Amino acid sequence: MTPDAIERAVALYAGGRYREQRIDALPRDCRPATLEDAYALQAALNVRLAATHGAVCGRKIGCTTPVMQHYLEIAHPCAGALYENRTFEAPATVGHADHWRPGVECEIAVRLGRSLPAADAPFDREAIVGAVAACMAAIEIVDDRYEDFRALDTPTLIADDFFSAGAVLGPAVTAWQGIDLAAAGGTMAINGAAVGAGTGADVMGHPFEALTWLANHAAASGRPLQAGDVVLTGSVVETKWVEPGDTVLVAIEGLGEAGVTFAR
């Protein structure tokens, strides 16, 4: 994509973030045609949003589980950014009206204790394990900023951080090595009613497999993962859309809970 095309697309995406206009199919001359275009556009959007959303403090990975691949009809992982001003410690309260149509997902998150530079790629799972400082239960907050997201192609969604709108992190568990993350069950409840469950094995067989994919993808795209980054590895529960006043609680076996309320 040309610099001019990227700038025009970023302006349209930013309008969706600031609730100026819902996003429809981008004009063809500034629409990302490939995944490479999409991630280049996403990087430019991350820079634009830093003034209000804060610096990028980590990544989210979408479509790493069968339930989400089926829901979105996308058969491969897709990465987006997390921002400092949109990443919260649980319990958190966020404004429902700050979003177009907020949704929630149940995830295992990790925090990196060291960087994963491009010079060390490709990474395998053994290398990734050594970089993980903590694991935690997490809620990803997503937002349907679109006129009809099912009518949009995958690069268009990826360029907009693949629905990313925030994260709520439970307490960090640094002694995670004794937890079987593949076997760990995850549950999500809204206003006390169970709405879904899954296990860590749903995430590409193990959450660290998703993390390995992201580390290699990030290195190849010139934006390698850094020490301190938080990574959401993918939802074990289908996205649930929430209403004003809803309270959401997720729990991951061995990692505890994370909760958020969407203020009216």
Side-chain angles (χ1 to χ4, degrees):
M1 298 181 69
T2 66
D4 178 68
I6 290 175
E7 179 60 28
R8 286 185 291 117
V10 164
L12 291 170
Y13 282 129
R17 297 298 178 98
Y18 300 136
R19 295 211 53 181
E20 295 170 357
Q21 59 185 7
R22 280 189 180 271
I23 298 168
D24 202 349
L26 272 63
R28 187 167 298 279
D29 62 347
C30 65
R31 187 184 311 165
T34 66
L35 295 183
E36 183 179 13
D37 285 347
Y39 285 111
L41 181 48
Q42 183 189 109
L45 178 65
N46 296 162
V47 173
R48 170 72 69 89
L49 294 178
T52 51
H53 287 51
V56 171
C57 64
R59 313 287 175 88
K60 58 77 59 81
I61 321 173
C63 287
T64 59
T65 60
V67 67
M68 289 307 302
Q69 290 179 352
H70 176 75
Y71 181 63
L72 293 175
E73 300 180 351
I74 298 173
H76 57 81
C78 303
L82 300 177
Y83 301 87
E84 287 182 346
N85 296 347
R86 298 291 189 274
T87 301
F88 310 99
E89 293 184 1
T93 299
V94 301
H96 189 280
D98 295 336
H99 307 80
W100 290 102
R101 183 193 180 209
V104 289
E105 298 178 352
C106 174
E107 314 224 0
I108 294 172
V110 304
R111 189 183 303 277
L112 297 181
R114 63 175 176 83
S115 300
L116 295 168
D120 292 346
F123 300 101
D124 58 20
R125 189 162 136 189
E126 183 177 354
I128 292 301
V129 167
V132 175
C135 298
M136 61 211 82
I139 298 168
E140 182 181 358
I141 301 172
V142 296
D143 196 12
D144 180 6
R145 297 180 279 266
Y146 314 103
E147 293 288 350
D148 178 6
F149 72 81
R150 296 195 180 279
L152 300 179
D153 57 35
T154 303
T156 296
L157 295 171
I158 288 175
D160 191 33
D161 284 327
F162 206 68
F163 296 94
S164 178
V168 180
L169 307 177
V173 177
T174 56
W176 55 265
Q177 295 84 351
I179 302 169
D180 185 346
L181 294 176
T187 59
M188 185 160 68
I190 299 177
N191 301 325
V195 295
T199 69
D202 294 334
V203 185
M204 298 175 67
H206 192 288
F208 289 171
E209 292 295 340
L211 183 60
T212 301
W213 173 86
L214 179 65
N216 286 312
H217 162 79
S221 64
R223 304 175 67 201
L225 298 177
Q226 303 295 316
D229 278 354
V230 171
V231 176
L232 304 183
T233 59
S235 185
V236 302
V237 173
E238 183 181 295
T239 304
K240 303 299 178 184
W241 307 103
V242 294
E243 301 295 331
D246 281 352
T247 293
V248 181
L249 184 69
V250 305
I252 305 290
E253 284 184 293
L255 297 180
E257 299 178 339
V260 63
T261 296
F262 288 83
R264 297 180 183 275

